[in-house]
Amino acid sequence: MPVVVSDAEVTLADVLSLRLAVDEPFADGTELVLRNRTTSVESRVPLGTPDVRTREAELAVSLAPLELGPGRWDTYLQQGTARTRLRSVDPGFSLDHLDAYALSRRTLAYRAYRTRNGFLALKVDDARPAAEVRSVWFREGRFEVTGLLAFTGLDDDEERHEARLALRRSRPDAELTSVATVQGVRFHAALSLCDVLAAAPDQTGTWEPSLEVRGVATPLRLGSRLDDVDGKRRRLHYPAAQIDGVPIRPCYTADDELRIEVGG
């Protein structure tokens, strides 16, 4: 039976909501199967009798009870011995929705998306509190960054929170800090690039930025994950600033955390 997902979303309550185009109602015993792409572990959800309209079916599946681990999960319909991978025409991406989703304190974050070859999949990540980067640039001799506090449980309001930006590196050990602005869950921070060079003169290396916010238990790593661009180290290339002839540039790690590279 041909089935195509026309709309897919994980709600704020961690419910996978699907609208599907179908030719006929599902047979008794039909299951939604979620299969981990790496481990091949499967989770099966009996569908019962979905809400079926003319050529359309709607499903709502609560994800938390399924105990899905971090990773990518492909979706299938199982009808008897026949298994069909779910095709999707919905890209499953809304930046506004991802911002709203990240305001709650969570242990796991779920996202529905369309794969490159047009199938529905689910991405599950650990939801540690983090500073989600939206803009980063070098100007007037400074490193500046803005973004959103994710999964901290703080309210998106006008309240200001005491905060500071910290830049750390090892071999040799060095640390720089500066006052940061945090209003609600939005942040802005800046730090002098001349101070970065002065902290470890004649030393090339990589600095790791973090944001320390009063009321949040641990320092927040700066990264960029609440979008549809995976692998930013390969895809995003910033121009280097030259400070006293030394190149300095922002970059991302393999897991999309922000770093500052000096020299090289």
Side-chain angles (χ1 to χ4, degrees):
M1 177 180 66
V3 179
V4 177
V5 177
S6 58
D7 184 75
E9 178 186 27
V10 176
T11 71
L12 300 182
D14 289 336
V15 172
L16 177 61
S17 176
L18 301 178
R19 182 176 296 115
L20 306 99
V22 299
D23 286 344
E24 59 188 41
F26 295 152
D28 290 340
T30 298
E31 296 176 309
L32 177 69
V33 179
L34 298 170
R35 187 172 189 268
N36 188 287
R37 194 175 298 170
T38 301
T39 66
S40 299
V41 169
E42 293 185 354
S43 181
R44 294 169 174 255
V45 182
L47 297 184
T49 305
D51 177 14
V52 178
R53 301 186 178 95
T54 304
R55 294 186 174 276
E56 187 175 277
E58 295 181 356
L59 302 176
V61 176
S62 181
L63 296 172
L66 302 182
E67 299 183 350
L68 305 177
R72 295 179 187 268
W73 296 76
D74 295 313
T75 60
Y76 301 84
L77 280 183
Q78 184 85 35
Q79 300 181 90
T81 59
R83 174 174 291 193
T84 304
R85 192 173 178 186
L86 282 177
R87 289 200 167 272
S88 177
V89 295
D90 179 10
F93 174 70
S94 165
L95 187 58
D96 290 341
H97 173 78
L98 293 179
D99 281 359
Y101 186 83
L103 293 181
S104 299
R105 193 187 302 274
R106 304 173 185 274
T107 56
L108 289 176
Y110 305 90
R111 186 194 308 179
Y113 71 101
R114 184 180 61 191
T115 66
R116 291 182 180 178
N117 50 356
F119 294 102
L120 176 68
L122 193 67
K123 187 172 184 283
V124 184
D125 290 309
D126 289 318
R128 300 184 183 92
E132 175 72 15
V133 173
R134 286 294 154 79
S135 297
V136 56
W137 63 94
F138 290 163
R139 64 181 178 186
E140 299 178 353
R142 297 187 303 172
F143 159 64
E144 294 192 46
V145 61
T146 64
L148 169 84
L149 303 186
F151 307 119
T152 62
L154 296 178
D155 293 326
D156 188 9
D157 54 22
E158 299 301 314
E159 183 178 354
R160 289 184 175 269
H161 304 275
E162 183 178 334
R164 69 173 190 161
L165 173 70
L167 226 61
R168 297 182 177 89
R169 60 161 290 169
S170 58
R171 297 189 302 273
D173 292 337
E175 178 177 350
L176 292 169
T177 62
S178 66
V179 174
T181 300
V182 175
Q183 185 168 333
V185 294
R186 316 289 164 171
F187 72 87
H188 172 269
L191 194 145
S192 168
L193 295 177
C194 292
D195 290 345
V196 174
L197 287 183
D202 303 321
Q203 295 287 340
T204 62
T206 302
W207 294 76
E208 178 180 329
S210 63
L211 194 67
E212 300 169 5
V213 182
R214 181 178 293 275
V216 179
T218 58
L220 305 176
R221 293 183 176 182
L222 272 67
S224 184
R225 297 186 176 92
L226 299 182
D227 56 27
D228 61 345
V229 182
D230 292 328
K232 293 180 178 64
R233 186 169 184 84
R234 301 188 311 273
R235 300 184 184 187
L236 293 182
H237 301 282
Y238 295 98
Q242 294 284 335
I243 305 295
D244 294 336
V246 179
I248 306 177
R249 64 169 55 84
C251 65
Y252 285 95
T253 66
D255 58 354
D256 292 335
E257 288 190 359
L258 184 66
R259 296 290 188 269
I260 305 299
E261 290 186 345
V262 177

